[in-house]
Amino acid sequence: MDYAELSRGVRRALAPAPGRPTRGALVRDALLWFGVCLLLTAEFFAFAAVGHDVMARVLVFAVLAGLTIVLTRTYPLLAPCLAVFVTLWGQSFLVLLACVSYLAGRRSSRVWLAVLLFVFLSLVVAVYVLSVREQTPGLWVTAATALVFCTALPWLVGVYRRQHIELGAAGWEHARQLQHEQRLTAEQARLRERSRIAQDMHDSLGHELSLIALRAGALEMSPDLGEDHRQEVADLRATAVSATAHLREIIGVLRADSEPEPAPTAPAGESVAALVERARDSGVRVMLVSEGPVGELPPMVDRAAYRVVQESLTNATKYAPGAPVTVWLNANDARLRVRVTNTAARGRGPVPAVGGGHGLTGLRERVRLVGGSFTVGPHEDGWQVCAAMPLNGGSVTEDEEEGGAEAIDELQRAARRKVRPWTAALIAAPVVVVMLVVGVVYALIARVLEDTTLPPEDFTTISVGDSEEDLAQVLPPYPSGMSDDQLEDFVSADSDCDHYRSSSGMFDESVVFYQLCFEEGVLTAKERLESR
């Protein structure tokens, strides 16, 4: 056996629980302590000799109850151990034992250590009960109840509750992690789209700068140009060439961290009309509807519209193969609207492919960068993609972020608000149960006291020599069941005789105990017991 590992395990078990209790937790602990103190007070005043010894015992047990509740906050597994032994001398402690056993399972995750403690505790209690079984024959019933119904079962309920809460917290954390990964993936899609935009800038601006350099070179060779003007044109050509080289370097840096793109299968600078015609030639049922000057668009807007139509056609062939597709282009002096719709796939056909939605994320980024808005979603019995982009510049409008950790937190808060009434009920239920138990115990104790009370005026009418049958109308239904330990508090008390109380008051300090001794159905002695 590795004693060092065992020692470390014991030290971890005895380490206090972290954190400080909240104000609400302290209030609940105080209410639990108050209820247990009421039960203990009722038990000791009803079934023990009244006097300063009873008050001292109540105070001692009240302190033990407070210590047990404090242990549930610092050393949860030790609280039931203390409560089990106190229960052997005060049965009202069974209520507190059930509560602290539940809290031990709820607050401590050391399951195997709790099982070992329970086995050890059972052995110790069994040895103690066997050693005192002659003096207290019914103690084994209290011990078995304390160990099984008030210790093991509440602890199992607490363990289930703790695991249920931990599972819920892990689920929310997993959702946050998935959302974070989704946002990272979307950010990568945006970066890839920006890389494509950079390539479009290179193709467009590089072509125009190359034309400038070419025309400047042709002008430089003109024989009618003066020497000074020739030098200026040469400088212009050199500047255009240098700008082209710098543009190539900058675009190369912008694309350095992006994934390598496959070789393009479409001609550079292809128009939307040519794209639709090429898709139609490949078998896609697509129709193009154009309104307004759609052929005179700014380069960035033109490329964004092209990408929207291209990605929409790709998605339509993936997710709705064979369905007809319609492309609308509507342009005016201020805005270009692009709308692509398709119906649902007809018939069985091939199984639609499953994608990650990264293409739509890239489209949203491209449209956002030109100051437009982008929406996508169901439409009638199919799907639609809409983009609106300004033609005269303007500020970039930020789209709402889709998802996000904030959305997960809001969902969790909404879920908590939804279950808050049930949570309040679960919190209030133990308090109500404890108060009901206190009320039931008080009612039972009052009934027992009433059935074991012999009023002083009836005691004076009893004479030695009366038969037990004649006294049946005077005596209470049951004698007071006093243990040998309780009888030791009185002078000349005899365990073979019957004992009765003079008052049924639960907290009556002037109560007197009477002793009646019968032999062969005849009263042989009557005595008022005096306390030692």
Side-chain angles (χ1 to χ4, degrees):
M1 176 181 292
D2 189 353
Y3 293 99
E5 182 65 26
L6 179 62
S7 176
R8 284 193 295 269
V10 172
R11 286 197 299 269
R12 285 195 301 268
L14 297 180
R20 297 176 61 86
T22 60
R23 183 179 301 178
L26 293 177
V27 171
R28 290 193 295 271
D29 290 347
L31 289 176
L32 177 60
W33 176 80
F34 181 71
V36 173
C37 289
L38 287 179
L39 289 176
L40 291 171
T41 303
E43 178 185 358
F44 290 134
F45 270 91
F47 301 109
V50 179
H52 67 279
D53 184 48
V54 175
M55 292 301 302
R57 186 177 297 182
V58 169
L59 291 176
V60 169
F61 275 76
V63 172
L64 290 175
L67 178 60
T68 303
I69 295 175
V70 170
L71 284 177
T72 61
R73 295 287 177 186
T74 54
Y75 303 94
L77 293 180
L78 296 183
C81 300
L82 175 61
V84 165
F85 287 105
V86 179
T87 301
L88 298 177
W89 289 276
Q91 296 186 8
S92 298
F93 235 72
L94 289 172
V95 176
L96 181 60
L97 174 60
C99 294
V100 298
S101 298
Y102 167 79
L103 293 176
R106 172 70 176 80
R107 295 171 180 171
S108 177
S109 59
R110 303 180 176 95
V111 176
W112 287 110
L113 180 61
V115 173
L116 292 177
L117 279 177
F118 179 77
V119 173
F120 175 75
L121 194 63
S122 302
L123 293 176
V124 173
V125 171
V127 171
Y128 174 77
V129 171
L130 290 175
S131 64
V132 298
R133 62 179 179 177
E134 295 183 357
Q135 295 84 354
T136 314
L139 187 60
W140 67 271
V141 178
T142 302
T145 303
L147 290 175
V148 177
F149 296 101
C150 296
T151 304
L153 291 182
W155 176 78
L156 290 175
V157 174
V159 170
Y160 170 78
R161 177 61 179 163
R162 174 178 54 81
Q163 293 178 347
H164 182 268
I165 293 176
E166 290 177 352
L167 182 62
W172 286 112
E173 186 60 31
H174 182 61
R176 291 191 185 91
Q177 185 66 26
L178 290 178
Q179 187 63 45
H180 179 66
E181 294 176 359
Q182 182 178 356
R183 295 185 68 180
L184 290 178
T185 305
E187 185 63 28
Q188 292 177 358
R190 294 189 185 99
L191 292 176
R192 283 195 297 268
E193 191 62 29
R194 292 192 179 193
S195 176
R196 295 191 187 100
I197 295 173
Q199 183 62 40
D200 292 342
M201 290 173 56
H202 174 269
D203 295 341
S204 177
L205 295 179
H207 177 68
E208 294 179 2
L209 289 175
S210 298
L211 289 179
I212 292 174
L214 182 61
R215 292 180 179 179
L219 183 60
E220 183 182 0
M221 301 301 294
S222 176
D224 299 334
L225 197 64
E227 192 62 32
D228 294 339
H229 290 160
R230 193 183 306 279
Q231 184 61 39
E232 292 294 335
V233 172
D235 293 341
L236 176 61
R237 179 182 57 78
T239 302
V241 173
S242 177
T244 304
H246 290 165
L247 177 63
R248 185 179 298 108
E249 293 176 0
I250 293 173
I251 298 303
V253 171
L254 290 176
R255 293 176 58 85
D257 294 334
S258 64
E259 296 180 0
E261 296 289 341
T265 59
E270 183 182 29
S271 65
V272 172
L275 172 64
V276 171
E277 187 63 30
R278 189 159 51 84
R280 187 181 295 118
D281 293 339
S282 63
V284 180
R285 298 166 57 191
V286 56
M287 179 178 65
L288 174 63
V289 179
S290 299
E291 298 177 358
V294 295
E296 302 174 359
L297 303 175
M300 290 292 292
V301 175
D302 181 70
R303 289 297 88 195
Y306 179 88
R307 284 283 297 123
V308 170
V309 176
Q310 182 187 45
E311 185 67 26
S312 301
L313 290 176
T314 302
N315 288 339
T317 57
K318 278 185 179 180
Y319 306 117
V325 183
T326 305
V327 179
W328 278 278
L329 296 180
N330 186 320
N332 53 32
D333 295 337
R335 186 177 297 269
L336 170 68
R337 290 182 175 87
V338 182
R339 183 165 171 255
V340 182
T341 63
N342 65 271
T343 60
R346 303 299 181 184
R348 294 185 176 273
V351 179
V354 178
H358 307 324
L360 295 179
T361 303
L363 290 185
R364 181 176 284 104
E365 178 68 10
R366 182 179 282 262
V367 173
R368 185 187 71 86
L369 290 177
V370 297
S373 62
F374 181 83
T375 57
V376 60
H379 172 68
E380 295 179 357
D381 62 341
W383 196 261
Q384 74 171 355
V385 177
C386 298
M389 293 165 282
L391 301 179
N392 53 0
S395 60
V396 175
T397 57
E398 291 287 347
D399 290 342
E400 293 183 358
E401 289 289 339
E402 36 183 355
E406 297 80 4
I408 297 296
D409 293 337
E410 180 58 32
L411 286 175
Q412 186 175 11
R413 286 191 292 268
R416 288 176 177 174
R417 287 193 297 269
K418 188 175 181 180
V419 302
R420 189 170 296 169
W422 292 102
T423 304
L426 289 175
I427 295 176
V431 178
V432 174
V433 169
V434 170
M435 299 308 297
L436 287 177
V437 170
V438 171
V440 171
V441 170
Y442 265 69
L444 292 176
I445 291 176
R447 181 66 179 176
V448 170
L449 294 180
E450 184 179 353
D451 291 342
T452 58
T453 298
L454 178 64
E457 57 271 18
D458 292 341
F459 178 75
T460 57
T461 61
I462 298 175
S463 302
V464 175
D466 293 343
S467 65
E468 192 170 2
E469 294 180 357
D470 295 338
L471 297 178
Q473 302 296 327
V474 180
L475 295 179
Y478 308 101
S480 178
M482 302 177 65
S483 63
D484 294 339
D485 294 337
Q486 293 174 335
L487 293 176
E488 290 179 358
D489 296 334
F490 299 98
V491 179
S492 67
D494 189 350
S495 59
D496 295 331
C497 299
D498 296 336
H499 304 91
Y500 302 93
R501 294 170 55 94
S502 64
S503 172
S504 60
M506 194 175 301
F507 303 105
D508 189 358
E509 297 186 0
S510 61
V511 64
V512 176
F513 285 86
Y514 302 125
Q515 177 175 274
L516 301 179
C517 299
F518 290 91
E519 229 180 272
E520 296 181 357
V522 177
L523 180 65
T524 59
K526 55 176 285 189
E527 182 181 1
R528 172 180 172 176
L529 297 178
E530 299 291 338
S531 300
R532 293 183 183 275

